Amino acid sequence: MGEPYGAAAAPAGFGPPLSGAYAPAGTSFGPLLPPLVTGGGAGADVRRDVLGPDAETTTPTPSSSFGSSFDDFVTRVAWGEVWARPGLGRRERCLVTLTALVVQGQLDALPVHVRAALRHGVTAGEIEETLLQASLHAGFTVAGAAVEVVRRALGDEGRVA
């Protein structure tokens, strides 16, 4: 029987081998991550530009700091690094995001990202074409459910009758 995925020795410079899906006891991935940046910085600015100033946030309330490290991480990496890269424009990133949400079945997140796509010049027709393409990989059932969610979101924005 072969070794489980990740159990083989890693190439030089790629750290210790993994045991199953978990790192061996005593292994720390902490040094691989840069220090957390509080206050959002450039990532928060990109997020507001993409989603709009009124988009929901998971920022903890003053009564709870649980999850603040995750929020900082997402703001810094997803918004401050990936969304800020020059390789794709905001329109294209919005379409990729819609596709990923459909394929993952994350339908609750679709309305905010439909609004983001519209903010960046994506048309209802382009969103429909994206859903058709995604249906080939996500499956017709989840894509059909996504069409209904997107139809409501577009209606809320006055973009479809």
Side-chain angles (χ1 to χ4, degrees):
M1 183 165 196
E3 295 177 355
Y5 177 78
F14 285 94
L18 296 179
S19 173
Y22 301 99
T27 300
S28 170
F29 292 103
L32 298 177
L33 300 175
L36 291 175
V37 176
T38 57
D45 293 341
V46 171
R47 183 181 187 283
R48 275 189 296 278
D49 180 59
V50 172
L51 299 180
D54 299 327
E56 289 183 36
T57 180
T58 57
T59 302
T61 62
S63 63
S64 171
S65 65
F66 183 82
S68 62
S69 293
F70 181 75
D71 291 333
D72 286 345
F73 174 77
V74 170
T75 300
R76 185 172 29 81
V77 175
W79 298 107
E81 293 181 21
V82 177
W83 272 85
R85 291 178 58 83
L88 292 174
R90 298 270 166 90
R91 292 180 83 261
E92 293 79 13
R93 289 185 193 282
C94 286
L95 292 170
V96 170
T97 299
L98 292 174
T99 301
L101 292 172
V102 171
V103 170
Q104 293 175 357
Q106 300 293 322
L107 304 184
D108 290 342
L110 275 175
V112 71
H113 289 284
V114 166
R115 287 189 296 277
L118 295 171
R119 283 174 54 85
H120 291 285
V122 177
T123 67
E126 290 170 319
I127 293 172
E128 185 173 21
E129 288 300 321
T130 299
L131 296 176
L132 285 169
Q133 184 69 33
S135 74
L136 301 175
H137 305 283
F140 296 120
T141 302
V142 73
V147 166
E148 291 305 314
V149 171
V150 170
R151 181 180 290 137
R152 286 192 300 274
L154 290 171
D156 290 347
E157 296 296 312
R159 301 293 179 108
V160 293

